Amino acid sequence: MKKSLWITLGVILLLVGVFVWYKYFFVFGEGVKSGYLNYAMKKGYIFKTYEGKLIQEGFGRGKTGTITSYEFEFSVDDPEVFKQLETNSGKTFDLHYKEYNGALPWRGNTKFIVDKVVNMK
């Protein structure tokens, strides 16, 4: 009886650990987004995180031939990358990001984490 209880507890802890890893630490995707940096700021009540928004231009669903803008909201975990973004607001950036399945409060408000600036114009 005692042995099966320990095995059940071990399996439950293992499943919870795998779920937490998959939800918050597994990199689901990564890529590069380009656009104009709308803002970069540090905010938060308990955990001060770096947040930003990139405005992408392109053809969207609307009237035929109209240009619509798309927004890419992201978080930054590296203070040096944030400093580069903060001092160059309004410029065009190519940002490399990682996409996670969930956001952690100390990592940022979004599941998209920018880890480096590829290009800036």
Side-chain angles (χ1 to χ4, degrees):
M1 179 72 172
K2 214 174 195 184
K3 185 177 180 179
S4 64
L5 179 66
W6 283 110
I7 291 173
T8 304
L9 184 63
V11 168
I12 289 171
L13 287 175
L14 180 66
L15 290 175
V16 167
V18 168
F19 172 77
V20 168
W21 171 81
Y22 177 75
K23 180 77 174 164
Y24 300 109
F25 298 100
F26 173 72
V27 177
F28 177 69
E30 57 184 298
V32 176
K33 295 261 188 181
S34 299
Y36 294 98
L37 184 64
N38 189 10
Y39 66 79
M41 66 173 156
K42 183 177 181 179
K43 69 178 188 176
Y45 293 111
I46 297 173
F47 299 105
K48 298 291 185 187
T49 59
Y50 304 117
E51 308 296 329
K53 184 188 291 187
L54 203 65
I55 304 295
Q56 302 172 289
E57 292 181 355
F59 293 102
R61 296 194 307 193
K63 293 182 182 177
T64 306
T66 61
I67 295 179
T68 317
S69 66
Y70 299 99
E71 298 176 350
F72 173 62
E73 293 189 15
F74 59 89
S75 301
V76 180
D77 61 356
D78 185 1
E80 294 300 318
V81 173
F82 174 74
K83 190 175 285 188
Q84 188 176 7
L85 294 172
E86 183 182 42
T87 56
N88 295 293
S89 184
K91 294 187 178 180
T92 303
F93 283 89
D94 297 334
L95 301 176
H96 184 268
Y97 69 94
K98 293 181 181 177
E99 180 182 358
Y100 296 90
N101 291 316
L104 289 169
W106 54 86
R107 191 167 60 193
N109 293 335
T110 69
K111 60 183 185 174
F112 299 101
I113 308 297
V114 169
D115 57 356
K116 66 181 170 181
V117 175
V118 177
N119 192 14
M120 177 181 67
K121 300 174 201 162

